[in-house]
Amino acid sequence: MSVHELVPGVLLPGFAGPQLPEWLRAELQRGLGGVCLFAGNVDAGDPDGTARLAAAIRAVRPETLVAADEEGGVVTRLEGRDGSTLPSPAQLGLVSAAVAERVGAVLGERVRRAGIDLLLAPSADVNDNPANPVIGARSFGADPYEVAARVAATARGIRSRQGVSACVKHWPGHGDTDVDSHRGLPTVPAATVARHAEPFAAAIREGVPAVMTAHIVVAEWGAEPVTVNPDAIARLRAEGFDGVVITDAVDMAAIADTYGLGGGAARALAAGADLVCLGNPELKGEDAAAQYAEVTAAIAAALDDGRLAPERLREAHGRVARLAARMTAARTAGEGETDARAPMSVAPDDVAAIGAALAEASDPSAVSALARIERIVDARAGATQAAATRAVPVVDTLRQLAGPASGGGSGVTVVVADRPSAAQRAVIERVRAAGESVVVNVGAIPGGFDAAVVQLGADSRLSSAIVRSWAGESR
């Protein structure tokens, strides 16, 4: 096989819709490494549709990785229409690591039955910046060692489901940033990276086979983002990780606005990445086939002019191929042996523990005020940590509770927020000046709000169920 023929094998593109497009079928025949599924590939009205789509992909090329971001909480693809029924990492950070392991097993079973074998989770980011615009409730918390325990536990739970691998992210840590790498280029000092290192080290000790890079600049490591920085990726290898290095989506502004989509992909491979995630073409209305063609052309040009060494591409291709072969063997070995008893939902006792922990973290007066809701204001304008789903189940539930069934009486305004940004603080202050109000925080816990707060830690269907139970008890 010529070196140019290896190019598809190091790419992880997305595509539009719930059917396999012809351009993607052709690339699978050419040896495409993997496919990344997003919410637009999931037909919420067809529970078995995602598994059939994955089967159609593998019918063309059996050793194809099928990946998805399915974190639980605010980031879900399989439940993107209505919101996740699984806890967020922020919620799991309030309970024992044993609960996180059990939830990891549920998550692994769900994606396994959907035909997904490369789970782009969990997040090992330490969210110790309450104003972080992109991580927030996707993190298990602000303490590196507590986060590490839950990252390792979640990875164990995922691994317990045959034929599913975890990919920990976003190395070396996106938790203390005030810039969303979808929209700009964050910079952190090396001291922050050192402070946030333990969850990634724990994941590597746990044997995760894949690590996703963050599009952040570590000032002392040079001016280039980690994803395209050879020194940075060499540091990851020096930490003992010899698995597949996967990029975060190269269509994000932190990479694409500086290097271009194709240029960023070529640079990432040259820097030491093994599998390049192209991103979700539907978010910006991009033509997925054209996007993919741009990337393959740029990588070919980099091979031709020496910016990408053939041996580096062969190394990347080999790592991806070995992981795909291992996952294919595990999946094939488990076919026909589905355990109907394997949990597909979180155990009631674990849900109760999460609810109790959220209640303990909340202001009691704010929880009791849920029985007197008159108005709801969603302060999360523009980019929010819930951007991975269009669903706003907590807001929808609060609006329902504000109806006649809420009991009337002196009304309370509820402000839904997910971080103490200047814009969200301004909304909270304006509402507070007008009358009685409480904040419902669906972001990181505690959240950094100077107000009476109901702590939920996710805008999800699970959070909505907890709100309903509290509101009922408060009446």
Side-chain angles (χ1 to χ4, degrees):
M1 183 179 288
S2 74
V3 68
H4 284 81
E5 291 176 307
L6 300 178
V7 172
V10 296
L11 298 180
L12 187 71
F15 64 96
Q19 304 296 326
L20 179 62
E22 286 306 313
W23 73 265
L24 188 59
R25 184 184 300 276
E27 292 307 312
L28 287 165
Q29 292 169 341
R30 292 182 61 218
L32 185 63
V35 175
C36 194
L37 301 183
F38 295 93
N41 303 119
V42 177
D43 182 352
D46 184 2
D48 299 321
T50 308
R52 286 200 309 275
L53 176 58
I57 290 167
R58 295 193 175 103
V60 182
R61 184 170 186 267
E63 292 190 349
T64 303
L65 294 168
V66 178
D69 286 306
E70 187 69 24
E71 301 175 13
V74 298
V75 176
T76 177
R77 310 305 185 189
L78 296 178
E79 299 182 297
R81 183 184 67 177
D82 300 316
S84 180
T85 54
L86 292 181
S88 70
Q91 293 168 336
L92 293 171
L94 299 178
V95 293
S96 72
V99 178
E101 183 167 352
R102 290 193 290 270
V103 171
V106 172
L107 178 57
E109 182 65 17
R110 286 189 180 187
V111 299
R112 187 186 71 81
R113 294 194 193 185
I116 295 160
D117 59 1
L118 181 58
L119 182 56
L120 304 179
S123 167
D125 302 297
V126 178
N127 197 87
D128 54 9
N129 181 348
N132 192 315
V134 67
I135 300 300
R138 301 169 64 191
S139 165
F140 292 101
D143 182 294
Y145 292 93
E146 294 294 331
V147 172
R150 286 154 184 81
V151 167
T154 302
R156 284 194 300 273
I158 293 167
R159 189 179 61 201
S160 73
R161 312 321 300 158
Q162 187 164 339
V164 181
S165 280
C167 172
V168 71
K169 60 189 183 184
H170 306 80
W171 186 86
H174 212 312
D176 187 11
T177 62
D178 55 12
V179 174
D180 180 350
S181 50
H182 292 87
R183 297 173 176 267
L185 181 58
T187 298
V188 300
T192 296
V193 169
R195 190 173 74 246
H196 292 186
E198 181 56 27
F200 296 98
I204 291 170
R205 291 194 298 269
E206 195 60 43
V208 293
V211 171
M212 177 178 283
T213 59
H215 301 328
I216 61 173
V217 171
V218 180
E220 292 84 349
W221 297 359
E224 292 184 309
V226 164
T227 298
V228 296
N229 185 329
D231 178 59
I233 296 178
R235 290 170 184 264
L236 175 58
R237 296 299 186 196
E239 292 174 13
F241 180 68
D242 193 37
V244 175
V245 174
I246 304 177
T247 73
D248 207 344
V250 292
D251 66 346
M252 294 162 61
I255 297 297
D257 284 3
T258 302
Y259 307 104
L261 184 68
R267 283 174 175 265
L269 289 167
D274 302 307
L275 186 61
V276 178
C277 178
L278 274 57
N280 184 357
E282 290 188 292
L283 276 182
K284 300 177 183 177
E286 299 287 342
D287 181 329
Q291 192 180 63
Y292 180 86
E294 177 187 343
V295 169
T296 55
I299 295 171
L303 284 168
D304 291 341
D305 66 19
R307 287 176 292 129
L308 174 58
E311 55 270 24
R312 168 78 272 276
L313 184 60
R314 290 192 180 97
E315 177 186 52
H317 189 278
R319 283 203 182 97
V320 174
R322 286 191 293 274
L323 175 59
R326 190 160 70 246
M327 300 314 301
T328 300
R331 185 177 61 254
T332 302
E335 287 178 356
E337 298 180 7
T338 300
D339 183 356
R341 299 167 299 175
M344 286 283 282
S345 59
V346 183
D349 286 351
D350 289 339
V351 174
I354 291 166
L358 289 170
E360 185 175 350
S362 299
D363 187 312
S365 65
V367 174
S368 64
L370 294 175
R372 299 185 290 112
I373 302 172
E374 181 177 69
R375 188 166 70 105
I376 294 87
V377 176
D378 192 343
R380 300 168 297 165
T384 76
Q385 292 155 352
T389 173
R390 296 179 179 87
V392 286
V394 167
V395 172
D396 292 340
T397 293
L398 291 168
R399 285 175 178 150
Q400 292 165 7
L401 292 171
S406 66
S410 58
V412 173
T413 298
V414 172
V415 182
V416 180
D418 63 3
R419 59 190 172 100
S421 65
Q424 294 191 37
R425 286 200 308 269
V427 173
I428 293 167
E429 290 303 316
R430 185 168 64 249
V431 171
R432 180 158 48 190
E436 186 180 2
S437 66
V438 298
V439 172
V440 169
N441 173 31
V442 295
I445 298 170
F449 298 102
D450 182 18
V453 181
V454 174
Q455 302 286 5
L456 286 183
D459 194 352
S460 66
R461 280 192 283 167
L462 185 139
S463 296
S464 294
I466 291 171
V467 167
R468 287 186 184 279
S469 70
W470 288 349
E473 292 170 2
S474 300
R475 288 179 187 146

